[in-house]
Amino acid sequence: MRIGAIEAGGTKFVCGYGNEQGLIEERVSFPTRMPAETLADVIEYFQDKQVEAIGIGTFGPIDIDPASPSYGFVTTTPKAGWSGYNFLGEMKKVFPVPIGWDTDVNAAAYGEAVWGAAQGLDSCVYYTIGTGIGVGVFAEGRLVHGMVHPEGGHVLVRRHPDDTYEGFCPYHGDCLEGIAAGPALEKRWKMQGSELPPDHPAWAMEAYYIAQAVSTSILMLSPKKVILGGGVMHQQQLFPMIRKEAARLLNGYVSHPFLREGIDHYIVPPGLGDNAGLSGALALGLAAYKQG
Amino acid sequence: MRIGAIEAGGTKFVCGYGNEQGLIEERVSFPTRMPAETLADVIEYFQDKQVEAIGIGTFGPIDIDPASPSYGFVTTTPKAGWSGYNFLGEMKKVFPVPIGWDTDVNAAAYGEAVWGAAQGLDSCVYYTIGTGIGVGVFAEGRLVHGMVHPEGGHVLVRRHPDDTYEGFCPYHGDCLEGIAAGPALEKRWKMQGSELPPDHPAWAMEAYYIAQAVSTSILMLSPKKVILGGGVMHQQQLFPMIRKEAARLLNGYVSHPFLREGIDHYIVPPGLGDNAGLSGALALGLAAYKQG
């Protein structure tokens, strides 16, 4: 089988294809431009690939309610030109194959459950922590959509007592994304996150914030795995700090071997590494194919 | 049909029965004593009722993982005598009928989805705000269990700048339950919540905390209805305050008609009123019957 996969980001689109075992056989990427131009690149790429299904994991917010008149649209994004764009509809016009459609983070959560760190489990929460913070939720064997889709990057966290940075989220100021995504690191410390040394106090503060989000997701959803991906999480030193802080916050109240003895295997990086997004899109395509 | 229902609380047990339309035909209650004594009361009540199934919604934490060796047990509760008690197993010994088993708050969320405020919807979040705070989660048509079950009463919220009360949660001090459950009202204001007049500043502070929890649940789970029950929510003046504060916190970021025009019908009291728990248990019993 050959299944197409699209990881549609606000700055770049990654396209590729793979097989039903999750093996990515090719991946290319190009910058995200205006919708028509970007879709032209996508169409050109897939035109001769003869894929049997396609999965799309995309930036949003998007409409993923099949009963909605704007199903398949990008909705209220500030990204120029994309708000109100019928992404899925345009794809369907050109490719008469089953097409899976979800948020980039739900796709990644699903990919991790099918082939990655949460393989064989019926629940996980996936965070991407990079230029923004997004959350994908897989619960009781299903991706959570609900009214719109989770937007857990924007929860409020308690401010670190030493933090004077006001946050950059245009909607919420110092919500999680506003004080813990990549741009917050850069604005607070006047240095790119990737340039901050591993023992810089920036990372203890970052872990303080991310651990609150992790602990909230455990209390709200009780997932069987918490997966932390995205550019900021390339800082491997964050993992032990986040695990320790999350355990301190929960303080034994949620009692399960996963937390008591297994926290190193419970709060983890993506099993699919930087392919989590594209593999997730592949998994969505495969699921769409199976549904017919 | 006649289905039995048990709403097992830390201070009292409510038992009753009803039919497959959710009509409660009888309810009785008795104090929660030690497990053996309490179960004797339960058994005596149901002995001659000839129920075709039973649903149990119980205080916890409990084990609701059918694959676990301690499935059906009350687990780490501080409630004397109950920790490690095989509640479901003891019931099964006596009543050879299908028995549904979940947390009290998951039962209430389910009851609301079947017969109450979330009727016909495939998701809702149910909060009970009383002597403690509990959260039941129904998502994509299923009750969320995950690793253990949600314990969303214990999330951290930002402290109100005028609040000097340290919180009473033995695990987390000033988590949501620690600063917003009934005992926090009483300890902070030196007066029972039910005695505080509706225009007392206590309620603005209470709404400030509950709205944070509501907004977090919307961001993490995107439910189609948020239902607020429990003794504290008998203070009807809280609803408009919570809706307004939650909308202020979300600040238009999550965009959906439910929030834009319909918030009065989105953040609501239980449709089943104070029967939410028992009706939920009835719904669990009915579901167990259908599963066989």
Side-chain angles (χ1 to χ4, degrees):
Chain A
M1 272 195 76
R2 183 181 280 189
I3 303 151
I6 303 171
E7 183 187 4
T11 45
K12 68 174 178 179
F13 265 55
V14 183
C15 292
Y17 58 84
N19 68 14
E20 69 275 28
Q21 275 88 44
L23 181 73
I24 301 280
E25 294 169 81
E26 184 177 290
R27 57 179 290 163
V28 301
S29 78
F30 40 82
T32 307
R33 299 183 288 163
M34 293 297 278
E37 297 167 316
T38 314
L39 261 280
D41 289 343
V42 170
I43 289 163
E44 194 192 338
Y45 174 73
F46 283 111
Q47 213 148 32
D48 61 352
K49 297 294 183 296
Q50 292 171 311
V51 292
E52 293 171 74
I54 298 174
I56 304 172
T58 179
F59 73 102
I62 60 174
D63 190 332
I64 48 180
D65 174 4
S68 161
S70 57
Y71 174 65
F73 285 54
V74 179
T75 59
T76 55
T77 179
K79 176 95 186 149
W82 286 84
S83 183
Y85 182 65
N86 186 359
F87 188 167
L88 179 61
E90 293 299 320
M91 287 293 294
K92 280 187 167 168
K93 275 189 201 164
V94 183
F95 300 102
V97 296
I99 303 183
W101 165 254
D102 217 311
T103 64
D104 45 5
V105 274
N106 263 358
Y110 187 56
E112 288 291 321
V114 177
W115 295 307
Q119 195 172 4
L121 301 179
D122 62 2
S123 63
C124 69
V125 169
Y126 179 94
Y127 280 85
T128 180
I129 303 167
T131 52
I133 299 184
V135 180
V137 178
F138 185 65
E140 305 298 319
R142 298 178 185 200
L143 286 171
V144 171
H145 297 159
M147 177 174 62
V148 186
H149 45 69
E151 283 287 1
H154 292 262
V155 296
L156 285 185
V157 286
R158 282 199 186 163
R159 295 185 59 93
H160 191 287
D162 299 337
D163 191 6
T164 55
Y165 174 58
E166 73 275 15
F168 73 90
C169 175
Y171 289 89
H172 313 113
D174 59 0
C175 67
L176 176 68
E177 177 169 297
I179 47 175
L185 281 165
E186 193 175 337
K187 286 173 189 176
R188 181 186 294 115
W189 304 104
K190 319 290 176 211
M191 213 187 304
Q192 284 216 322
S194 55
E195 289 164 10
L196 291 160
D199 59 352
H200 192 283
W203 301 118
M205 189 179 282
E206 185 70 6
Y208 176 89
Y209 290 133
I210 297 171
Q212 283 188 59
V214 166
S215 143
T216 294
S217 74
I218 294 169
L219 291 164
M220 290 304 297
L221 280 151
S222 197
K224 291 180 182 170
K225 197 78 81 173
V226 177
I227 302 164
L228 304 175
V232 169
M233 295 310 302
H234 287 165
Q235 303 285 331
Q236 293 291 321
Q237 73 278 12
L238 280 171
F239 281 94
M241 298 164 96
I242 291 167
R243 290 179 190 124
K244 192 176 168 190
E245 178 67 7
R248 190 188 70 78
L249 288 169
L250 292 169
N251 197 24
Y253 184 74
V254 178
S255 179
H256 191 279
F258 286 177
L259 292 173
R260 283 197 306 273
E261 300 109 35
I263 199 164
D264 293 353
H265 303 285
Y266 178 71
I267 300 171
V268 296
L272 302 166
D274 290 336
N275 266 333
L278 194 64
S279 297
L282 187 66
L284 289 179
L286 181 60
Y289 179 83
K290 287 178 179 170
Q291 278 172 22
Chain B
M1 274 194 76
R2 182 182 280 189
I3 304 151
I6 304 171
E7 182 187 5
T11 46
K12 67 173 179 179
F13 266 55
V14 183
C15 292
Y17 59 83
N19 67 15
E20 69 275 30
Q21 275 87 44
L23 181 73
I24 302 279
E25 294 169 81
E26 185 178 289
R27 58 180 290 164
V28 300
S29 78
F30 39 82
T32 306
R33 299 183 288 162
M34 294 297 278
E37 296 166 319
T38 313
L39 261 281
D41 289 343
V42 170
I43 289 163
E44 194 193 338
Y45 175 74
F46 282 110
Q47 213 149 30
D48 61 352
K49 298 293 184 296
Q50 293 173 310
V51 293
E52 293 172 74
I54 298 174
I56 304 172
T58 179
F59 74 102
I62 61 174
D63 190 332
I64 49 179
D65 174 5
S68 160
S70 57
Y71 175 65
F73 285 55
V74 179
T75 58
T76 55
T77 179
K79 176 93 187 153
W82 285 85
S83 183
Y85 182 66
N86 186 0
F87 188 166
L88 179 60
E90 292 299 320
M91 287 293 294
K92 280 187 168 168
K93 274 189 203 164
V94 183
F95 301 102
V97 296
I99 303 182
W101 166 254
D102 216 310
T103 64
D104 45 6
V105 274
N106 263 358
Y110 188 56
E112 288 291 322
V114 177
W115 295 307
Q119 195 172 4
L121 302 178
D122 62 2
S123 62
C124 70
V125 169
Y126 179 94
Y127 279 85
T128 180
I129 303 167
T131 51
I133 299 184
V135 180
V137 177
F138 185 65
E140 305 299 319
R142 298 178 185 201
L143 286 172
V144 171
H145 298 158
M147 177 174 61
V148 186
H149 47 69
E151 283 287 1
H154 292 261
V155 296
L156 284 185
V157 287
R158 283 199 185 161
R159 296 185 57 92
H160 190 287
D162 300 337
D163 191 5
T164 55
Y165 174 58
E166 72 275 13
F168 73 91
C169 175
Y171 289 88
H172 314 113
D174 60 358
C175 67
L176 177 67
E177 177 169 297
I179 47 174
L185 281 166
E186 193 175 339
K187 285 173 189 176
R188 182 186 294 116
W189 305 104
K190 320 292 175 209
M191 212 187 304
Q192 285 217 321
S194 56
E195 290 163 10
L196 290 161
D199 59 351
H200 192 282
W203 301 117
M205 189 179 282
E206 186 70 7
Y208 176 90
Y209 290 132
I210 297 172
Q212 283 187 58
V214 166
S215 141
T216 294
S217 73
I218 293 169
L219 291 163
M220 289 304 297
L221 280 151
S222 198
K224 292 181 181 168
K225 197 77 80 173
V226 177
I227 301 164
L228 304 175
V232 170
M233 295 310 302
H234 286 164
Q235 303 285 330
Q236 293 291 321
Q237 72 278 13
L238 280 171
F239 281 94
M241 297 164 96
I242 291 167
R243 291 178 191 126
K244 192 176 168 190
E245 178 67 7
R248 190 189 69 78
L249 288 169
L250 292 169
N251 198 22
Y253 184 75
V254 178
S255 179
H256 191 279
F258 285 178
L259 292 172
R260 283 197 306 272
E261 300 109 34
I263 199 164
D264 292 353
H265 305 284
Y266 179 71
I267 300 172
V268 295
L272 303 166
D274 290 336
N275 266 332
L278 194 64
S279 296
L282 186 65
L284 290 178
L286 182 60
Y289 178 84
K290 286 178 178 168
Q291 279 173 21

